[in-house]
Amino acid sequence: MSDSDTTRQPAKKGRPGYDQQAVLDVAVAAFIEHGYDATSMGVLASRLGLSKAAIYHHFPAKDQLLGAALSEALDSLEGVLAEPGAISGNAAARLAHVIRGAVRVLVNKLPYVTLLLRVRGNTEVERDALRRRREFDHNVTALVEAARAEGSLRDDIDPRVVTRLLFGMINSIAEWYRPGGPESADQLADDVLAMALDGLSTAPGT
Amino acid sequence: MSDSDTTRQPAKKGRPGYDQQAVLDVAVAAFIEHGYDATSMGVLASRLGLSKAAIYHHFPAKDQLLGAALSEALDSLEGVLAEPGAISGNAAARLAHVIRGAVRVLVNKLPYVTLLLRVRGNTEVERDALRRRREFDHNVTALVEAARAEGSLRDDIDPRVVTRLLFGMINSIAEWYRPGGPESADQLADDVLAMALDGLSTAPGT
DNA sequence: GTCTATAATTAGATAGAC
DNA sequence: GTCTATCTAATTATAGAC
């Protein structure tokens, strides 16, 4: 449930001798690069330097690799909604906390969240993930509505549109953010909040 | 180059007797539903009520179906940058024009743009599309920089981050907008501009 | 934990008739 | 413009040895 760090050290011996997590990380990187469907167990095996059969020792099927990655992302996102800062305080503060938390999770679990954002519901594993993601969205929309009712947010845009544009902005970070780049997660969260809440314009009321 | 309407009438005879455009539209719908890689020529044939071989009469290969769709999207987006409103006037007005134009293209060519936004560069066709899309982004970033130099936009966020968050917001519309829904393209563009330029907050300078 | 070998199925694509 | 039939290669997954 802690959302720091996505890459584990080998932790074990010298070389071959993968554990589940190490196999998963390589698989996730491949899924991101070529897409889940376009990544065959064959190229996955090449990347790992293993035979295809060896992968089946760690995961019973290809879609379980995806499932494990999606769960990791969803556990973290749902965790944000359960944090104290998302539960107590006025709605505007809780919403800001959730926005910061979502950016933090996105950055800290970048590969897993990246996969989550690309899921289309082809398999039962993917449909499960979509269901959990939709519930997360509903919870955020409720927060937006509360902040609006409170008078903290403008009321001339539909709350669902607001939530969608807001997370459109946040989620798009997965398409270009790379760890070790110039921006930190906190700075990125500041930028998102500044743009979303105060806007880009220097002239008021364009 | 006109970007209205994506669905053509049969225009021809009674039933089987597809033309290229009709085949393309069915293929694009399938690609969106299941993803390009997960859509086999077999299921495509079923959807069309044709044999696989018949599809090859209209398109020489599977990736040419994708290529035709991506070109349509890119032609329209590039067309926006060539419109008078994107060329003359101050930078802030030109940027607003491009944002409105991008939303308009997104809505009017929804299926094609949706596919464009999902391309990862697996094939040469996809890499070509990514190159064109990158150039579009560069042109918009230049506009953001000009608007900033002009004093119209806040200068405490990196222009590339601004462009990416802005188009993250715009492009995310493809994930939920459905024609015939409550929002019109113009209204949606208004919402995007309102949120991006003036922000959501009712309190100034949060 | 990894291997070789292979089963069973499906993929994209073509030939040639109508 | 569409068909049936077919090709080759690749796909996911399993069996069983080491």
Side-chain angles (χ1 to χ4, degrees), chain A residues 16-18 51 53 57-58:
Chain A
Y18 283 98
S51 66
H57 173 77
H58 298 283

Side-chain angles (χ1 to χ4, degrees), chain A residues 3 6 72-80 83 99-111 113 185:
Chain A
D3 52 282
T6 252
E72 182 108 14
L74 286 161
D75 286 348
S76 297
L77 284 173
E78 290 163 358
V80 170
E83 288 166 1
I99 292 173
R100 285 190 181 283
V103 174
R104 194 189 65 229
V105 167
L106 188 85
V107 166
N108 288 340
K109 306 252 178 175
L110 188 61
V113 177

Side-chain angles (χ1 to χ4, degrees), chain A residues 3 80 83 93-108 167 170 185-194 197, chain B residues 206:
Chain A
D3 52 282
V80 170
E83 288 166 1
R94 281 181 286 144
L95 179 60
H97 179 94
V98 169
I99 292 173
R100 285 190 181 283
V103 174
R104 194 189 65 229
V105 167
L106 188 85
V107 166
N108 288 340
F167 270 84
I170 294 170
D186 281 347
Q187 194 184 333
L188 217 45
D190 284 341
D191 291 349
V192 169
L193 279 172
L197 297 182
Chain B
T206 311

